[in-house]
Amino acid sequence: MDRKFSHILAVHRRGLQELHKVTPRLFPLMTLCAIISALIPYVTVSFSAQILTELTLYRRADVLWKWVIVSVLSMGIMAMLSAFLKRRFETLYNDVWGRKEILFCRKAFSLDYADVDKQETIDLRNQILQNENWAGWGFGKIPDFYEQAVKSV
């Protein structure tokens, strides 16, 4: 079981590295987007706690307004930043399927013509295409797995 899991991790790591070669901005942007979207609820709770503390304990109107203004501005900035990053991420993510073909083209160009024309090579490529079409597995799932892992952390 442990050996199988380590093999799965190694395959996904290699897939990440290969996709990073053709789309170098995708994974850093995905990481930043996941971090920002994970921080937004904590910032909201933090400012809400400060506002509620001011309302219940001190009742200073001038300080309360400052907390409200800072809260609204910071949440607005974070929402705009999150929307911008998500939009940019979706643009890059939608291009992953086209960019992954670059990997196969580079590999085909590095092979001898005799190897490209072998039935075994053609069968392997067809098997890869079938696996990708079946439930969307293949290179297209790697960004999804990466995003879930970053959000979990």
Side-chain angles (χ1 to χ4, degrees), residues 12-147:
H12 278 85
R13 184 171 182 249
R14 181 171 179 215
L16 281 168
Q17 290 171 341
E18 294 297 325
L19 278 178
H20 183 69
K21 287 178 187 175
V22 293
T23 311
R25 291 177 288 174
L26 178 67
F27 293 107
L29 185 67
M30 188 184 307
T31 304
L32 186 60
C33 189
I35 289 170
I36 294 292
S37 65
L39 284 178
I40 287 176
Y42 293 107
V43 172
T44 304
V45 168
S46 173
F47 281 117
S48 297
Q50 291 295 331
I51 291 170
L52 288 174
T53 301
E54 190 63 39
L55 278 172
T56 56
L57 296 178
Y58 306 116
R59 296 185 182 140
R60 298 175 294 192
D62 57 330
V63 176
L64 181 63
W65 278 109
K66 290 177 185 174
W67 278 117
V68 169
I69 290 170
V70 169
S71 173
V72 169
L73 285 176
S74 64
M75 291 307 301
I77 290 170
M78 288 188 78
M80 288 188 324
L81 182 62
S82 177
F84 172 76
L85 291 174
K86 283 182 183 178
R87 179 71 166 204
R88 185 68 186 133
F89 163 71
E90 288 174 5
T91 303
L92 290 173
Y93 182 74
N94 289 336
D95 194 34
V96 165
W97 285 101
R99 294 233 173 220
K100 78 158 177 59
E101 289 301 317
I102 294 171
L103 296 171
F104 294 111
C105 289
R106 286 181 183 165
K107 185 61 180 175
F109 286 142
S110 70
L111 295 174
D112 290 335
Y113 181 75
D115 291 333
V116 173
D117 201 34
K118 280 185 185 175
Q119 186 61 41
E120 180 184 349
T121 306
I122 295 168
D123 291 342
L124 285 173
R125 179 64 178 128
N126 287 334
Q127 182 66 44
I128 291 169
L129 289 172
Q130 287 175 8
N131 288 343
E132 286 180 345
N133 288 331
W134 182 79
W137 293 99
F139 274 111
K141 283 290 186 186
I142 292 173
D144 292 335
F145 292 143
Y146 180 79
E147 183 179 22

Side-chain angles (χ1 to χ4, degrees), residues 2-16:
D2 185 40
R3 185 174 178 183
K4 187 176 182 180
F5 186 70
S6 63
H7 176 71
I8 291 170
L9 286 178
V11 168
H12 278 85
R13 184 171 182 249
R14 181 171 179 215
L16 281 168

